């Protein structure tokens, strides 16, 4: 017996007397990335801003960007970043007791990535067409961690650098990076298009891109604010760094960058 497990949607206007529920899409129409274990379904809809009608919709199976997928849109493109992580463990050699799962000799490795789906947006109809898929080896803070500019997608993310248990091997276990990807196919623009080493051992708390310039805040005990030069997509670099106590989790661009700061004990 076939069971319809897809979510349903309805649309109505001011003249409608009742909602008409229909299946959001068919199972065969759901887009997914093989590297991501799907935990939820994300429904994207295009609505006519004048008539208020739903003109197109698209569904993707996503993992989580620590709770939800990150979605960023421009006038002509839409991007979805979906996070997935996995522990792979092998039992300790020669261990055959119940304690093997807790043995310090157990060999474990951690892998993670954020898969990115890139869509073309039809300016006339609002229809979405999948253009490319790609990934970065870490997790994104939010949609603000992505920015499209001059044919490139800039992505800021935090990556785990410890290969054994989550508490690490006694040293810093995170790194923060910015990748510059070609928007057309989501490949690295060149082998030099990855900027890394931003706040080693810390985590990204805020990101903002403004044209050729990027701003990244990382935090562990102090709050470094990094200013990035992204004018050359093949060679991004750090312009400057400011460290202050506390941390910032939001950046607002006015005439100059504004950084509200929270103090920590």
């Amino acid at each position: 017996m076939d069971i319809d497990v897809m979510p349903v949607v309805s649309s109505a206007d001011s003249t409608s007397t009742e909602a008409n529920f229909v299946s959001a899409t068919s199972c065969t129409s759901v887009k997914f990335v093989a590297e991501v274990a799907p935990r939820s379904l994300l429904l994207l809809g295009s609505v006519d801003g004048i008539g208020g009608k739903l003109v197109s919709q698209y569904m993707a199976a996503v993992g989580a960007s620590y709770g939800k997928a990150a979605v960023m849109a421009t006038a002509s493109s839409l991007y979805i970043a979906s996070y997935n992580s996995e522990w792979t463990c092998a039992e300790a050699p020669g261990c055959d007791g119940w304690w093997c799962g807790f043995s310090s000799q157990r060999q474990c490795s951690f892998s993670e990535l954020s898969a990115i789906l890139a869509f073309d947006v039809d300016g006339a109809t609002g229809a979405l067409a999948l253009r490319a898929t790609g990934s970065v080896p870490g997790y994104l803070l939010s949609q603000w961690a992505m920015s499209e500019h001059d044919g490139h997608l800039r992505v800021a993310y935090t990556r785990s650098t410890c290969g054994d248990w989550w508490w690490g091997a006694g040293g810093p276990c995170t790194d923060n990076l910015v990748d510059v990807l070609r928007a057309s196919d989501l490949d690295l623009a060149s082998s030099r298009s990855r900027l890394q080493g931003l706040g080693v051992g810390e985590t990204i708390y805020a990101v903002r891109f403004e044209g050729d310039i990027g701003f990244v805040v990382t935090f562990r005990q102090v709050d470094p604010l990094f200013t990035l030069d992204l004018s050359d997509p093949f060679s991004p670099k750090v312009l400057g760094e400011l460290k202050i106590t506390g941390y910032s989790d939001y950046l607002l661009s006015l005439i100059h960058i504004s950084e509200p700061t929270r103090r920590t004990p």
Side-chain angles (χ1 to χ4, degrees):
M1 181 178 64
D2 293 334
I3 300 177
D4 190 355
V5 296
M6 302 305 295
V8 296
V9 296
S10 69
S11 60
D13 55 31
S14 58
T15 62
S16 301
T17 58
E18 61 182 23
N20 180 29
F21 288 94
V22 297
S23 178
T25 189
S26 64
C27 290
T28 56
S29 298
V30 177
K31 299 299 180 183
F32 67 96
V33 178
E35 295 82 1
V36 174
R39 298 179 176 91
S40 60
L41 294 174
L42 177 67
L43 179 63
L44 304 172
S46 299
V47 179
D48 183 348
I50 298 177
K53 296 286 188 179
L54 181 67
V55 294
S56 68
Q57 57 191 27
Y58 202 98
M59 184 169 289
V62 297
S65 181
Y66 276 87
K68 59 184 177 180
V71 181
M72 190 276 292
T74 68
S76 58
S77 297
L78 186 143
Y79 297 92
I80 303 173
S82 179
Y83 179 72
N84 190 76
S85 62
E86 182 179 4
W87 280 103
T88 303
C89 295
E91 297 297 343
C95 186
D96 58 0
W98 61 267
W99 58 87
C100 293
F102 302 95
S103 172
S104 61
Q105 300 300 314
R106 196 180 190 198
Q107 300 173 345
C108 294
S109 61
F110 177 75
S111 62
E112 63 178 341
L113 63 80
S114 287
I116 301 174
L117 300 174
F119 297 86
D120 287 322
V121 180
D122 190 305
T125 65
L128 300 172
L130 183 64
R131 179 176 74 236
T133 62
S135 66
V136 295
Y139 66 89
L140 281 63
L141 174 69
S142 66
Q143 73 271 24
W144 299 109
M146 293 184 285
S147 171
E148 185 185 271
H149 181 68
D150 284 347
H152 293 88
L153 177 70
R154 292 86 63 88
V155 185
Y157 59 95
T158 298
R159 175 181 65 179
S160 171
T161 56
C162 291
D164 47 16
W165 295 106
W166 65 271
W167 54 80
C173 283
T174 57
D175 189 13
N176 301 291
L177 307 91
V178 174
D179 281 6
V180 182
L181 312 175
R182 285 192 301 263
S184 59
D185 57 11
L186 297 185
D187 280 343
L188 277 174
S190 79
S191 60
R192 294 184 296 136
S193 297
R194 171 170 290 168
L195 182 61
Q196 59 190 50
L198 304 174
V200 175
E202 302 177 342
T203 302
I204 291 178
Y205 266 58
V207 185
R208 179 73 68 169
F209 294 99
E210 291 291 333
D212 290 335
I213 303 297
F215 301 92
V216 175
V217 171
T218 64
F219 176 74
R220 187 178 183 186
Q221 292 180 337
V222 293
D223 180 353
L225 168 64
F226 295 93
T227 302
L228 314 178
D229 180 2
L230 305 172
S231 57
D232 182 356
F234 302 103
S235 184
K237 56 181 177 291
V238 176
L239 285 179
E241 176 183 346
L242 173 66
K243 289 189 176 182
I244 56 178
T245 57
Y247 70 92
S248 306
D249 56 11
Y250 182 72
L251 294 175
L252 177 64
S253 177
L254 299 173
I255 297 176
H256 56 276
I257 199 75
S258 175
E259 184 187 14
T261 303
R262 299 185 184 184
R263 299 291 180 180
T264 56

